[in-house]
Amino acid sequence: MNDFIAARSQMALSLGFHIIFSCIGMVMPFFMAVSHYYWLKTNNVVYKNITKAWSKGVAIFFATGAVSGTVLSFELGLLWPTFMLHAGPIFGMPFSLEGTAFFIEAIALGFFLYGWNKFNPWFHWVTGVVVGISGLVSGILVVAANGWMNSPSGFDYVDGKYINIDPVKAMFNDAWFSQALHMSIAAFVATGFAVAGVHAFMILKGKNVLFHAKAFKIAAVFGCIAAVLQPLSGDISAKDVAERQPAKLAAMEAHFHTGKSVPLIVGGIPDVKEKKVDYAIKIPGLLSFMVAGDLNAEVKGLDSIPPEDHPPVAITHYAFQIMVGIGMLLLFVAVLYFIALWKKKIWLERRWLLILFAAVTPLGFIAVEAGWTVTEVGRQPWIIQGIMRTADAVTPMPGIVYSFYIFTGVYISLAIIVVFMLYRQIKMVDKIYDIPSNSDQLKG
Amino acid sequence: MLYVVIIYLWAAILLYLLLGGADFGAGIIELFTSPKNRKRTRKVMYKAIGPVWEANHMWLIITIVILFVGFPEIYSTMSVYLHIPLVIMLMGIIARGTAFTFRHYDAVVDDMQVLYNRIFVYSSFVTPLFLGIIAGTAVSGKIDPHASTFLPAYIYSWLHWFSISVGLFTVAICGFLAAIYLIGEAENEPDRLRFIRKAKQMNVAAVLSGGLVFITAYLEKIPLIEWIFGNAAGLSAIIAATLSLVLLWYLLARGKTRVLRLLAGFQVTMILFATTVRHFPNIVMLKNNAYLSLLEHSGHEKAINMLGMALLLGSIFILPALFYLIYSFQKKDPEKLRPSAKG
């Protein structure tokens, strides 16, 4: 492994790790706020217990997300100093606003976690809602910054110089909206299904059924609504990418030859040398239709892009297939669940529905990681699309390989500890929350 | 607007040193507390820093964002030549933040707690140590942008006695701030007396390591004495800090918590002021008297203006909320104040 690949791997690892934690930290406060609302409205202590149990999860994920986010803000410079030298002032605007949003989130979380019985109950509830909203806002802002890398704007690039900088224009770049929409919904899908899945599993095991059933329902409804909305945002994203980054779209679809009435390629193994895809299902004209709303429209293939500007086709294609496949599967589960809620109440008592939810627990996050891979790998070899190559941005310091090993070790241990801690949280539901307790103090 | 941004940068560094410092210091105090008292110390600390520690941490992020948006050349130069100490500091931040949360929220209390504690206390020492090393390096004039081999470029720039003594000084200051803060948080007399004793010890350590900074500066031919005592503003700040030290020891004997906190904060502010005022607008000294200046190496005007606006706007939201957060959790036995509250 050379230093360049090591730097990219370290960045991918750090982002891949951060993204899971920040998604959960961003979405779970909303679940928490809903159950908290039910508790304040109904006085049913189960809801209070769910709120408290979830708030511990939020605290764990927030802390892990915060530190890994801090690391990322340094890593941008540690690994890509040349990129940051030029890009910092241009795309820094969303980061400076994100600082504010994140700060508010941290403050609100302080109020929420330690504020039981200290404040007016509705003020306390609002602080929880603020945690969710500010988290969501900071997520959108960070994605807007990433959108700029895909769709650089707000400056003129003349003779290697970045002039006429306009940070506001850079923030509202062409990609920000579709990317932020797709990512935010993805966070709700992934977290909703993950949380619902864990509670479904506990119901199946017959433990604290009342507690887990109520928790399951809140998470499942969030996840399922998001899963139904996601294909719509995916469609917006695909059209956007086709227009802005034809190379990325071509890599996603393993679409080698420019042509009219292009089929949608599902699955398959791309053969880059022979410029074809083996064993794929091809749906005639569908890609043309999805991109341009016309079955006969022309779609640019990789052959219209200089070979040195091709993204890695196989990785992008597989990642895209995984993301879409999981999205469709979760959409199916969501539709089943809504049918159950509205028409077939009897299904809600069937084990197969719970088994289904338990089985798809990790899938949303796999889709998030895959989607992120599509965005980032699909942009290669550019760090700023069309302006700066990733290879030109990397730090001159040698030995990044060792740094990569160290970070890998740290992130793997952290992931193991977090999973271990969640396991212990769930295991302790029996002891902490089963008996409606009169003690209102949040025990540390 | 450039000056607004510079003031925010300085304020963010100061607040990170004061609030984040007190936070690091809590771990340092734990490290230097005899095992039999550790449990009690920890209990007071949890209550004191639990609600605010995430927020304290944000000042570092604000600092970094100001640097890379407003002063990208300074940010990227430091990122390249201080890569290794920055990574070590980051490891400390990861370890500390997660260990604190884990030991607090782990549902089961068992041997894992010992591990979390150990990680927490050691990383509480390592993080400010390297923070100090980075700060010391920035002004040491030992970063060599023309170095072509690994050791001079990436190791000798920061690994020298001066920066290490600045690191130790930072650790002592953090410990001192935490001890002073905790005096007011103690719930009983023995705890209070212990924190007063700790504050005295940490204060002595700060004075000694501060002296070490001057000695190593002299040995490494860094004109620190001239910097600090060579101008009226720096000199008066140091005199004010020294005089307030006398008052501090007098008050320590009497345990006036609020005044003590203000005094400790005042001293650290004066030290930061004295060490930065002479350099302004320079921030990073390079080899051969080259430097990176906040005025000459600032980013594009429009970026600075927007950053300034964002910071001003952010403060309107953040400062009152942060103040209320700290204020709310200062009150003693708040449960008793609101007996009717349900929740």
Side-chain angles (χ1 to χ4, degrees), chain A residues 48 63 70 73 77-78 102 111 113-114 118 165 424-425 441 444, chain B residues 57-58 75 79 101 104-106 108 110 300 329 334-335 338 343:
Chain A
K48 181 177 151 197
T70 308
S73 67
L78 292 173
F102 194 45
F111 276 116
L113 291 177
Y114 296 86
K118 260 197 177 82
I165 285 172
R424 307 225 290 193
Q425 292 283 354
Q441 197 60 39
Chain B
H57 190 72
M58 289 304 302
Y75 172 80
S79 298
T101 314
H104 201 86
Y105 286 102
D106 197 339
V108 187
D110 58 7
H300 306 256
F329 291 95
E335 287 92 333
R338 294 192 131 272

PDB file of all heavy atoms in Angstrom, chain A residues 48 63 70 73 77-78 102 111 113-114 118 165 424-425 441 444, chain B residues 57-58 75 79 101 104-106 108 110 300 329 334-335 338 343:
ATOM      1  N   LYS A  48     -41.654   6.692  29.327  1.00  0.00           N
ATOM      2  CA  LYS A  48     -40.554   7.389  29.982  1.00  0.00           C
ATOM      3  C   LYS A  48     -39.301   6.493  29.985  1.00  0.00           C
ATOM      4  O   LYS A  48     -38.185   6.950  29.721  1.00  0.00           O
ATOM      5  CB  LYS A  48     -40.941   7.740  31.403  1.00  0.00           C
ATOM      6  CG  LYS A  48     -39.861   8.478  32.140  1.00  0.00           C
ATOM      7  CD  LYS A  48     -40.353   8.857  33.527  1.00  0.00           C
ATOM      8  CE  LYS A  48     -39.199   8.926  34.494  1.00  0.00           C
ATOM      9  NZ  LYS A  48     -39.698   8.899  35.860  1.00  0.00           N
ATOM     10  N   ALA A  63     -21.441  11.105  21.494  1.00  0.00           N
ATOM     11  CA  ALA A  63     -20.040  11.267  21.897  1.00  0.00           C
ATOM     12  C   ALA A  63     -19.110  10.673  20.844  1.00  0.00           C
ATOM     13  O   ALA A  63     -18.116  11.287  20.452  1.00  0.00           O
ATOM     14  CB  ALA A  63     -19.812  10.596  23.244  1.00  0.00           C
ATOM     15  N   THR A  70     -14.628  15.443  15.043  1.00  0.00           N
ATOM     16  CA  THR A  70     -13.479  16.304  15.342  1.00  0.00           C
ATOM     17  C   THR A  70     -12.253  15.786  14.590  1.00  0.00           C
ATOM     18  O   THR A  70     -11.506  16.547  13.976  1.00  0.00           O
ATOM     19  CB  THR A  70     -13.182  16.284  16.856  1.00  0.00           C
ATOM     20  OG1 THR A  70     -14.375  16.571  17.550  1.00  0.00           O
ATOM     21  CG2 THR A  70     -12.120  17.296  17.209  1.00  0.00           C
ATOM     22  N   SER A  73     -12.329  16.811  11.018  1.00  0.00           N
ATOM     23  CA  SER A  73     -12.010  18.204  10.706  1.00  0.00           C
ATOM     24  C   SER A  73     -10.496  18.409  10.701  1.00  0.00           C
ATOM     25  O   SER A  73      -9.986  19.283  10.011  1.00  0.00           O
ATOM     26  CB  SER A  73     -12.710  19.154  11.676  1.00  0.00           C
ATOM     27  OG  SER A  73     -12.189  19.003  12.968  1.00  0.00           O
ATOM     28  N   GLY A  77      -7.094  18.372   6.830  1.00  0.00           N
ATOM     29  CA  GLY A  77      -5.809  19.041   6.664  1.00  0.00           C
ATOM     30  C   GLY A  77      -4.639  18.068   6.740  1.00  0.00           C
ATOM     31  O   GLY A  77      -3.669  18.186   6.000  1.00  0.00           O
ATOM     32  N   LEU A  78      -4.740  17.112   7.655  1.00  0.00           N
ATOM     33  CA  LEU A  78      -3.620  16.183   7.844  1.00  0.00           C
ATOM     34  C   LEU A  78      -3.376  15.353   6.591  1.00  0.00           C
ATOM     35  O   LEU A  78      -2.247  15.029   6.257  1.00  0.00           O
ATOM     36  CB  LEU A  78      -3.900  15.245   9.025  1.00  0.00           C
ATOM     37  CG  LEU A  78      -3.909  15.897  10.402  1.00  0.00           C
ATOM     38  CD1 LEU A  78      -4.372  14.905  11.462  1.00  0.00           C
ATOM     39  CD2 LEU A  78      -2.521  16.422  10.758  1.00  0.00           C
ATOM     40  N   PHE A 102     -23.890  22.369  15.632  1.00  0.00           N
ATOM     41  CA  PHE A 102     -23.378  21.283  16.454  1.00  0.00           C
ATOM     42  C   PHE A 102     -23.211  21.731  17.905  1.00  0.00           C
ATOM     43  O   PHE A 102     -23.472  20.974  18.845  1.00  0.00           O
ATOM     44  CB  PHE A 102     -22.043  20.833  15.863  1.00  0.00           C
ATOM     45  CG  PHE A 102     -21.573  19.537  16.387  1.00  0.00           C
ATOM     46  CD1 PHE A 102     -22.448  18.471  16.511  1.00  0.00           C
ATOM     47  CD2 PHE A 102     -20.256  19.356  16.747  1.00  0.00           C
ATOM     48  CE1 PHE A 102     -22.014  17.257  17.000  1.00  0.00           C
ATOM     49  CE2 PHE A 102     -19.818  18.143  17.236  1.00  0.00           C
ATOM     50  CZ  PHE A 102     -20.692  17.101  17.363  1.00  0.00           C
ATOM     51  N   PHE A 111     -28.617  19.805  28.418  1.00  0.00           N
ATOM     52  CA  PHE A 111     -29.889  20.084  29.090  1.00  0.00           C
ATOM     53  C   PHE A 111     -30.740  18.826  29.176  1.00  0.00           C
ATOM     54  O   PHE A 111     -31.303  18.503  30.197  1.00  0.00           O
ATOM     55  CB  PHE A 111     -30.690  21.140  28.312  1.00  0.00           C
ATOM     56  CG  PHE A 111     -30.318  22.549  28.625  1.00  0.00           C
ATOM     57  CD1 PHE A 111     -29.769  23.375  27.669  1.00  0.00           C
ATOM     58  CD2 PHE A 111     -30.550  23.054  29.896  1.00  0.00           C
ATOM     59  CE1 PHE A 111     -29.441  24.690  27.954  1.00  0.00           C
ATOM     60  CE2 PHE A 111     -30.229  24.379  30.192  1.00  0.00           C
ATOM     61  CZ  PHE A 111     -29.655  25.188  29.223  1.00  0.00           C
ATOM     62  N   LEU A 113     -30.057  15.469  28.793  1.00  0.00           N
ATOM     63  CA  LEU A 113     -29.594  14.291  29.539  1.00  0.00           C
ATOM     64  C   LEU A 113     -29.588  14.527  31.041  1.00  0.00           C
ATOM     65  O   LEU A 113     -29.893  13.645  31.821  1.00  0.00           O
ATOM     66  CB  LEU A 113     -28.195  13.896  29.079  1.00  0.00           C
ATOM     67  CG  LEU A 113     -28.088  13.328  27.681  1.00  0.00           C
ATOM     68  CD1 LEU A 113     -26.627  13.062  27.341  1.00  0.00           C
ATOM     69  CD2 LEU A 113     -28.899  12.047  27.550  1.00  0.00           C
ATOM     70  N   TYR A 114     -29.209  15.735  31.424  1.00  0.00           N
ATOM     71  CA  TYR A 114     -29.058  15.985  32.856  1.00  0.00           C
ATOM     72  C   TYR A 114     -30.217  16.799  33.419  1.00  0.00           C
ATOM     73  O   TYR A 114     -30.195  17.195  34.566  1.00  0.00           O
ATOM     74  CB  TYR A 114     -27.727  16.689  33.112  1.00  0.00           C
ATOM     75  CG  TYR A 114     -26.543  15.825  32.750  1.00  0.00           C
ATOM     76  CD1 TYR A 114     -26.054  15.782  31.455  1.00  0.00           C
ATOM     77  CD2 TYR A 114     -25.936  15.017  33.719  1.00  0.00           C
ATOM     78  CE1 TYR A 114     -24.985  14.968  31.118  1.00  0.00           C
ATOM     79  CE2 TYR A 114     -24.873  14.209  33.392  1.00  0.00           C
ATOM     80  CZ  TYR A 114     -24.396  14.183  32.086  1.00  0.00           C
ATOM     81  OH  TYR A 114     -23.343  13.377  31.761  1.00  0.00           O
ATOM     82  N   LYS A 118     -35.339  18.810  36.522  1.00  0.00           N
ATOM     83  CA  LYS A 118     -34.721  20.079  36.870  1.00  0.00           C
ATOM     84  C   LYS A 118     -35.515  21.239  36.286  1.00  0.00           C
ATOM     85  O   LYS A 118     -35.512  22.328  36.811  1.00  0.00           O
ATOM     86  CB  LYS A 118     -33.304  20.136  36.296  1.00  0.00           C
ATOM     87  CG  LYS A 118     -32.236  19.830  37.313  1.00  0.00           C
ATOM     88  CD  LYS A 118     -30.887  20.305  36.804  1.00  0.00           C
ATOM     89  CE  LYS A 118     -29.811  20.082  37.834  1.00  0.00           C
ATOM     90  NZ  LYS A 118     -29.276  18.748  37.863  1.00  0.00           N
ATOM     91  N   ILE A 165     -14.116  34.481  -5.118  1.00  0.00           N
ATOM     92  CA  ILE A 165     -14.748  33.518  -4.215  1.00  0.00           C
ATOM     93  C   ILE A 165     -16.069  34.039  -3.655  1.00  0.00           C
ATOM     94  O   ILE A 165     -16.160  35.204  -3.257  1.00  0.00           O
ATOM     95  CB  ILE A 165     -13.776  33.169  -3.078  1.00  0.00           C
ATOM     96  CG1 ILE A 165     -12.705  32.248  -3.650  1.00  0.00           C
ATOM     97  CG2 ILE A 165     -14.483  32.532  -1.901  1.00  0.00           C
ATOM     98  CD1 ILE A 165     -11.588  31.976  -2.729  1.00  0.00           C
ATOM     99  N   ARG A 424     -24.952  -4.565  26.285  1.00  0.00           N
ATOM    100  CA  ARG A 424     -25.184  -4.498  27.730  1.00  0.00           C
ATOM    101  C   ARG A 424     -26.397  -3.623  28.069  1.00  0.00           C
ATOM    102  O   ARG A 424     -27.145  -3.929  29.001  1.00  0.00           O
ATOM    103  CB  ARG A 424     -23.940  -3.959  28.441  1.00  0.00           C
ATOM    104  CG  ARG A 424     -22.682  -4.719  28.090  1.00  0.00           C
ATOM    105  CD  ARG A 424     -21.837  -5.055  29.246  1.00  0.00           C
ATOM    106  NE  ARG A 424     -21.155  -3.960  29.880  1.00  0.00           N
ATOM    107  CZ  ARG A 424     -20.180  -4.171  30.766  1.00  0.00           C
ATOM    108  NH1 ARG A 424     -19.801  -5.411  31.057  1.00  0.00           N
ATOM    109  NH2 ARG A 424     -19.608  -3.159  31.358  1.00  0.00           N
ATOM    110  N   GLN A 425     -26.583  -2.547  27.309  1.00  0.00           N
ATOM    111  CA  GLN A 425     -27.760  -1.704  27.544  1.00  0.00           C
ATOM    112  C   GLN A 425     -29.030  -2.528  27.377  1.00  0.00           C
ATOM    113  O   GLN A 425     -29.946  -2.462  28.190  1.00  0.00           O
ATOM    114  CB  GLN A 425     -27.825  -0.545  26.532  1.00  0.00           C
ATOM    115  CG  GLN A 425     -26.756   0.506  26.661  1.00  0.00           C
ATOM    116  CD  GLN A 425     -27.012   1.456  27.809  1.00  0.00           C
ATOM    117  OE1 GLN A 425     -28.056   1.387  28.438  1.00  0.00           O
ATOM    118  NE2 GLN A 425     -26.053   2.308  28.096  1.00  0.00           N
ATOM    119  N   GLN A 441     -34.808   9.901  39.163  1.00  0.00           N
ATOM    120  CA  GLN A 441     -33.433  10.330  38.903  1.00  0.00           C
ATOM    121  C   GLN A 441     -32.808   9.467  37.814  1.00  0.00           C
ATOM    122  O   GLN A 441     -32.891   8.255  37.843  1.00  0.00           O
ATOM    123  CB  GLN A 441     -32.643  10.188  40.209  1.00  0.00           C
ATOM    124  CG  GLN A 441     -31.346  10.951  40.220  1.00  0.00           C
ATOM    125  CD  GLN A 441     -31.566  12.442  40.032  1.00  0.00           C
ATOM    126  OE1 GLN A 441     -32.510  12.983  40.564  1.00  0.00           O
ATOM    127  NE2 GLN A 441     -30.722  13.066  39.248  1.00  0.00           N
ATOM    128  N   GLY A 444     -26.573   7.394  36.599  1.00  0.00           N
ATOM    129  CA  GLY A 444     -25.459   7.341  35.640  1.00  0.00           C
ATOM    130  C   GLY A 444     -24.976   5.978  35.405  1.00  0.00           C
ATOM    131  O   GLY A 444     -25.308   5.247  34.577  1.00  0.00           O
TER     132      GLY A 444
ATOM    133  N   HIS B  57     -15.852  20.999  24.438  1.00  0.00           N
ATOM    134  CA  HIS B  57     -15.085  20.424  23.369  1.00  0.00           C
ATOM    135  C   HIS B  57     -15.248  21.191  22.062  1.00  0.00           C
ATOM    136  O   HIS B  57     -14.382  21.191  21.206  1.00  0.00           O
ATOM    137  CB  HIS B  57     -15.639  19.021  23.237  1.00  0.00           C
ATOM    138  CG  HIS B  57     -14.866  18.154  22.369  1.00  0.00           C
ATOM    139  ND1 HIS B  57     -13.656  17.683  22.747  1.00  0.00           N
ATOM    140  CD2 HIS B  57     -15.101  17.700  21.129  1.00  0.00           C
ATOM    141  CE1 HIS B  57     -13.188  16.955  21.755  1.00  0.00           C
ATOM    142  NE2 HIS B  57     -14.040  16.954  20.771  1.00  0.00           N
ATOM    143  N   MET B  58     -16.399  21.872  21.927  1.00  0.00           N
ATOM    144  CA  MET B  58     -16.729  22.543  20.669  1.00  0.00           C
ATOM    145  C   MET B  58     -15.782  23.681  20.339  1.00  0.00           C
ATOM    146  O   MET B  58     -15.610  24.039  19.183  1.00  0.00           O
ATOM    147  CB  MET B  58     -18.156  23.075  20.724  1.00  0.00           C
ATOM    148  CG  MET B  58     -19.220  22.023  20.688  1.00  0.00           C
ATOM    149  SD  MET B  58     -19.062  20.990  19.247  1.00  0.00           S
ATOM    150  CE  MET B  58     -19.193  22.211  17.955  1.00  0.00           C
ATOM    151  N   TYR B  75      -3.416  26.881   8.517  1.00  0.00           N
ATOM    152  CA  TYR B  75      -3.991  25.557   8.803  1.00  0.00           C
ATOM    153  C   TYR B  75      -3.239  24.458   8.060  1.00  0.00           C
ATOM    154  O   TYR B  75      -2.866  23.433   8.644  1.00  0.00           O
ATOM    155  CB  TYR B  75      -5.471  25.558   8.407  1.00  0.00           C
ATOM    156  CG  TYR B  75      -6.177  24.213   8.453  1.00  0.00           C
ATOM    157  CD1 TYR B  75      -6.630  23.693   9.658  1.00  0.00           C
ATOM    158  CD2 TYR B  75      -6.393  23.476   7.294  1.00  0.00           C
ATOM    159  CE1 TYR B  75      -7.288  22.478   9.698  1.00  0.00           C
ATOM    160  CE2 TYR B  75      -7.046  22.262   7.328  1.00  0.00           C
ATOM    161  CZ  TYR B  75      -7.505  21.758   8.520  1.00  0.00           C
ATOM    162  OH  TYR B  75      -8.155  20.545   8.559  1.00  0.00           O
ATOM    163  N   SER B  79      -0.880  21.547   9.542  1.00  0.00           N
ATOM    164  CA  SER B  79      -1.311  20.162   9.292  1.00  0.00           C
ATOM    165  C   SER B  79      -0.175  19.317   8.731  1.00  0.00           C
ATOM    166  O   SER B  79      -0.055  18.144   9.052  1.00  0.00           O
ATOM    167  CB  SER B  79      -2.463  20.139   8.292  1.00  0.00           C
ATOM    168  OG  SER B  79      -3.564  20.814   8.801  1.00  0.00           O
ATOM    169  N   THR B 101     -17.707   8.986  28.207  1.00  0.00           N
ATOM    170  CA  THR B 101     -19.105   8.644  27.963  1.00  0.00           C
ATOM    171  C   THR B 101     -19.377   7.181  28.299  1.00  0.00           C
ATOM    172  O   THR B 101     -20.404   6.852  28.880  1.00  0.00           O
ATOM    173  CB  THR B 101     -19.449   8.897  26.486  1.00  0.00           C
ATOM    174  OG1 THR B 101     -18.928  10.160  26.126  1.00  0.00           O
ATOM    175  CG2 THR B 101     -20.935   8.888  26.259  1.00  0.00           C
ATOM    176  N   HIS B 104     -19.652   6.458  31.859  1.00  0.00           N
ATOM    177  CA  HIS B 104     -20.838   7.095  32.405  1.00  0.00           C
ATOM    178  C   HIS B 104     -22.110   6.338  32.030  1.00  0.00           C
ATOM    179  O   HIS B 104     -23.049   6.259  32.795  1.00  0.00           O
ATOM    180  CB  HIS B 104     -20.910   8.515  31.855  1.00  0.00           C
ATOM    181  CG  HIS B 104     -21.753   9.420  32.677  1.00  0.00           C
ATOM    182  ND1 HIS B 104     -21.255  10.091  33.763  1.00  0.00           N
ATOM    183  CD2 HIS B 104     -23.049   9.751  32.577  1.00  0.00           C
ATOM    184  CE1 HIS B 104     -22.235  10.808  34.297  1.00  0.00           C
ATOM    185  NE2 HIS B 104     -23.327  10.619  33.600  1.00  0.00           N
ATOM    186  N   TYR B 105     -22.136   5.822  30.811  1.00  0.00           N
ATOM    187  CA  TYR B 105     -23.387   5.252  30.310  1.00  0.00           C
ATOM    188  C   TYR B 105     -23.403   3.751  30.194  1.00  0.00           C
ATOM    189  O   TYR B 105     -24.385   3.178  29.757  1.00  0.00           O
ATOM    190  CB  TYR B 105     -23.742   5.878  28.951  1.00  0.00           C
ATOM    191  CG  TYR B 105     -24.240   7.276  29.111  1.00  0.00           C
ATOM    192  CD1 TYR B 105     -23.427   8.353  28.852  1.00  0.00           C
ATOM    193  CD2 TYR B 105     -25.519   7.505  29.596  1.00  0.00           C
ATOM    194  CE1 TYR B 105     -23.871   9.642  29.047  1.00  0.00           C
ATOM    195  CE2 TYR B 105     -25.976   8.790  29.797  1.00  0.00           C
ATOM    196  CZ  TYR B 105     -25.152   9.858  29.517  1.00  0.00           C
ATOM    197  OH  TYR B 105     -25.599  11.122  29.722  1.00  0.00           O
ATOM    198  N   ASP B 106     -22.297   3.115  30.517  1.00  0.00           N
ATOM    199  CA  ASP B 106     -22.328   1.664  30.454  1.00  0.00           C
ATOM    200  C   ASP B 106     -23.371   1.169  31.451  1.00  0.00           C
ATOM    201  O   ASP B 106     -23.393   1.595  32.605  1.00  0.00           O
ATOM    202  CB  ASP B 106     -20.947   1.096  30.796  1.00  0.00           C
ATOM    203  CG  ASP B 106     -20.829  -0.339  30.343  1.00  0.00           C
ATOM    204  OD1 ASP B 106     -21.891  -0.983  30.153  1.00  0.00           O
ATOM    205  OD2 ASP B 106     -19.711  -0.822  30.176  1.00  0.00           O
ATOM    206  N   VAL B 108     -23.756  -1.709  32.746  1.00  0.00           N
ATOM    207  CA  VAL B 108     -23.257  -2.626  33.761  1.00  0.00           C
ATOM    208  C   VAL B 108     -21.991  -2.016  34.352  1.00  0.00           C
ATOM    209  O   VAL B 108     -21.140  -1.504  33.626  1.00  0.00           O
ATOM    210  CB  VAL B 108     -22.923  -3.985  33.128  1.00  0.00           C
ATOM    211  CG1 VAL B 108     -22.557  -4.992  34.199  1.00  0.00           C
ATOM    212  CG2 VAL B 108     -24.096  -4.485  32.301  1.00  0.00           C
ATOM    213  N   ASP B 110     -18.713  -2.899  36.037  1.00  0.00           N
ATOM    214  CA  ASP B 110     -17.838  -4.022  36.387  1.00  0.00           C
ATOM    215  C   ASP B 110     -16.394  -3.664  36.036  1.00  0.00           C
ATOM    216  O   ASP B 110     -16.031  -2.494  36.051  1.00  0.00           O
ATOM    217  CB  ASP B 110     -18.299  -5.300  35.665  1.00  0.00           C
ATOM    218  CG  ASP B 110     -18.314  -5.126  34.145  1.00  0.00           C
ATOM    219  OD1 ASP B 110     -17.841  -4.086  33.676  1.00  0.00           O
ATOM    220  OD2 ASP B 110     -18.798  -6.028  33.453  1.00  0.00           O
ATOM    221  N   HIS B 300      -9.452  34.676   1.583  1.00  0.00           N
ATOM    222  CA  HIS B 300     -10.056  35.693   0.739  1.00  0.00           C
ATOM    223  C   HIS B 300     -11.020  36.557   1.533  1.00  0.00           C
ATOM    224  O   HIS B 300     -11.665  36.090   2.463  1.00  0.00           O
ATOM    225  CB  HIS B 300     -10.796  35.006  -0.410  1.00  0.00           C
ATOM    226  CG  HIS B 300      -9.913  34.070  -1.146  1.00  0.00           C
ATOM    227  ND1 HIS B 300      -9.386  34.344  -2.364  1.00  0.00           N
ATOM    228  CD2 HIS B 300      -9.409  32.856  -0.799  1.00  0.00           C
ATOM    229  CE1 HIS B 300      -8.620  33.354  -2.756  1.00  0.00           C
ATOM    230  NE2 HIS B 300      -8.618  32.424  -1.817  1.00  0.00           N
ATOM    231  N   PHE B 329     -26.708  24.180  35.928  1.00  0.00           N
ATOM    232  CA  PHE B 329     -26.149  23.042  36.639  1.00  0.00           C
ATOM    233  C   PHE B 329     -25.211  23.464  37.752  1.00  0.00           C
ATOM    234  O   PHE B 329     -24.523  22.655  38.340  1.00  0.00           O
ATOM    235  CB  PHE B 329     -25.490  22.084  35.639  1.00  0.00           C
ATOM    236  CG  PHE B 329     -26.515  21.412  34.779  1.00  0.00           C
ATOM    237  CD1 PHE B 329     -26.843  21.906  33.539  1.00  0.00           C
ATOM    238  CD2 PHE B 329     -27.209  20.308  35.262  1.00  0.00           C
ATOM    239  CE1 PHE B 329     -27.815  21.302  32.760  1.00  0.00           C
ATOM    240  CE2 PHE B 329     -28.191  19.706  34.489  1.00  0.00           C
ATOM    241  CZ  PHE B 329     -28.499  20.201  33.236  1.00  0.00           C
ATOM    242  N   PRO B 334     -31.009  21.251  42.813  1.00  0.00           N
ATOM    243  CA  PRO B 334     -32.113  21.891  42.081  1.00  0.00           C
ATOM    244  C   PRO B 334     -33.426  21.123  42.247  1.00  0.00           C
ATOM    245  O   PRO B 334     -34.495  21.722  42.131  1.00  0.00           O
ATOM    246  CB  PRO B 334     -31.644  21.872  40.641  1.00  0.00           C
ATOM    247  CG  PRO B 334     -30.460  20.976  40.592  1.00  0.00           C
ATOM    248  CD  PRO B 334     -29.979  20.725  41.963  1.00  0.00           C
ATOM    249  N   GLU B 335     -33.338  19.837  42.552  1.00  0.00           N
ATOM    250  CA  GLU B 335     -34.585  19.083  42.731  1.00  0.00           C
ATOM    251  C   GLU B 335     -35.468  19.729  43.788  1.00  0.00           C
ATOM    252  O   GLU B 335     -36.674  19.799  43.667  1.00  0.00           O
ATOM    253  CB  GLU B 335     -34.312  17.623  43.152  1.00  0.00           C
ATOM    254  CG  GLU B 335     -33.790  16.770  42.050  1.00  0.00           C
ATOM    255  CD  GLU B 335     -32.272  16.753  42.022  1.00  0.00           C
ATOM    256  OE1 GLU B 335     -31.641  17.713  42.459  1.00  0.00           O
ATOM    257  OE2 GLU B 335     -31.731  15.745  41.563  1.00  0.00           O
ATOM    258  N   ARG B 338     -37.655  22.656  42.646  1.00  0.00           N
ATOM    259  CA  ARG B 338     -38.871  22.432  41.867  1.00  0.00           C
ATOM    260  C   ARG B 338     -39.528  21.133  42.314  1.00  0.00           C
ATOM    261  O   ARG B 338     -39.518  20.159  41.588  1.00  0.00           O
ATOM    262  CB  ARG B 338     -38.538  22.268  40.377  1.00  0.00           C
ATOM    263  CG  ARG B 338     -37.999  23.486  39.735  1.00  0.00           C
ATOM    264  CD  ARG B 338     -38.014  23.257  38.224  1.00  0.00           C
ATOM    265  NE  ARG B 338     -38.627  24.402  37.574  1.00  0.00           N
ATOM    266  CZ  ARG B 338     -39.926  24.543  37.347  1.00  0.00           C
ATOM    267  NH1 ARG B 338     -40.755  23.592  37.669  1.00  0.00           N
ATOM    268  NH2 ARG B 338     -40.373  25.610  36.763  1.00  0.00           N
ATOM    269  N   GLY B 343     -41.314  14.342  35.666  1.00  0.00           N
ATOM    270  CA  GLY B 343     -40.404  14.205  34.539  1.00  0.00           C
ATOM    271  C   GLY B 343     -39.752  12.861  34.531  1.00  0.00           C
ATOM    272  O   GLY B 343     -39.963  12.030  35.398  1.00  0.00           O
TER     273      GLY B 343
END
